[in-house]
Structures are given as structure tokens and as C-alpha cells.
Amino acid sequence: MMRRLTVISLSELCQLERIENHHIIEIVENGIVNPIVNTNSADATDNNKKSDWEFETASVYWIKKAVRLHQDLEIDWLAVALLIDLIQQRDALQKENAFFKQQLSRFTEY
């Protein structure tokens, strides 16, 4: 089964979510999210052109969260990147913990 990848362009993202272009550039430069590399492009060497950036729609959540953290807490983008990384680690640990709790409950039911 192939997973369908849904993408959104930089201009669409800015327009739909009302996020300024320079904020998204800062988010990418700090490694919070990464644009999708288009390997089907006729000119593969020009993939770094910002106007051609596309993002997975799943990364829109993290982009919006990063912008909110930057604006609400008035912290720089590097601190936002650290916070996002910690939030993602916490989420992964919570999922892992839930999985292990489920496994443990199988053994304690008897």
C-alpha cells in the first residue's frame, strides 16, 4: 500500500494560514521543518529556490506551533527549535509509554 503524500506550496501555506513568508524561512533555516525536495524537477540543481518550496501538510501543525511560540513567548527561533524538538520527544515518549502500558496490561489481566 502506498502512502499518499499531500503537499502544500510556500505561497499556499502563507496565504491559507496567514503566516508571513520570512517566518517560514526562519523556521526552515532553524531546522524545525524541512521542505520536500522535488527530485522530479527538470532542474534538480535549483531545488533550493524558496518560491518552489513545498511542505507535507503534516508539517503545517509544527509550523503553526513554531509561529505561536515565537510570537506568544517572544523567544528567538533557535529557542523555538529547541522547544519543538522537546515537544516532539515528549510526544514520542508518551506514545511509547502507552504502547508498553498496553503490552503490560496483557500480562496482568490473567
Side-chain angles (χ1 to χ4, degrees):
M1 177 195 275
M2 286 185 60
R3 186 177 141 218
R4 186 176 177 138
L5 182 66
T6 309
V7 297
I8 185 169
S9 71
L10 176 63
S11 60
E12 291 171 331
L13 179 60
C14 291
Q15 186 177 28
L16 291 173
E17 297 298 336
R18 295 185 176 112
I19 299 173
E20 294 183 33
N21 189 324
H22 70 275
H23 285 311
I24 296 174
I25 293 169
E26 289 283 343
I27 289 168
V28 170
E29 287 176 349
N30 284 282
I32 297 169
V33 298
N34 293 309
I36 297 170
V37 177
N38 185 2
T39 56
N40 297 330
S41 174
D43 185 11
T45 60
D46 200 22
N47 281 337
N48 290 330
K49 215 165 80 174
K50 292 174 178 68
S51 62
D52 293 338
W53 280 357
E54 291 183 330
F55 299 90
E56 291 184 42
T57 53
S59 65
V60 172
Y61 171 81
W62 294 109
I63 292 170
K64 290 169 56 176
K65 184 171 276 303
V67 170
R68 255 191 340 269
L69 287 168
H70 176 70
Q71 292 173 343
D72 293 350
L73 300 179
E74 298 178 358
I75 56 177
D76 64 15
W77 289 109
L78 189 58
V80 171
L82 178 63
L83 279 172
I84 295 289
D85 185 51
L86 291 172
I87 291 169
Q88 289 173 337
Q89 286 181 31
R90 183 206 61 197
D91 291 349
L93 288 170
Q94 286 177 335
K95 287 178 185 175
E96 185 178 12
N97 190 35
F99 171 77
F100 286 130
K101 280 183 178 180
Q102 182 183 19
Q103 296 296 318
L104 183 61
S105 69
R106 291 180 180 177
F107 294 112
T108 59
E109 287 178 356
Y110 298 106

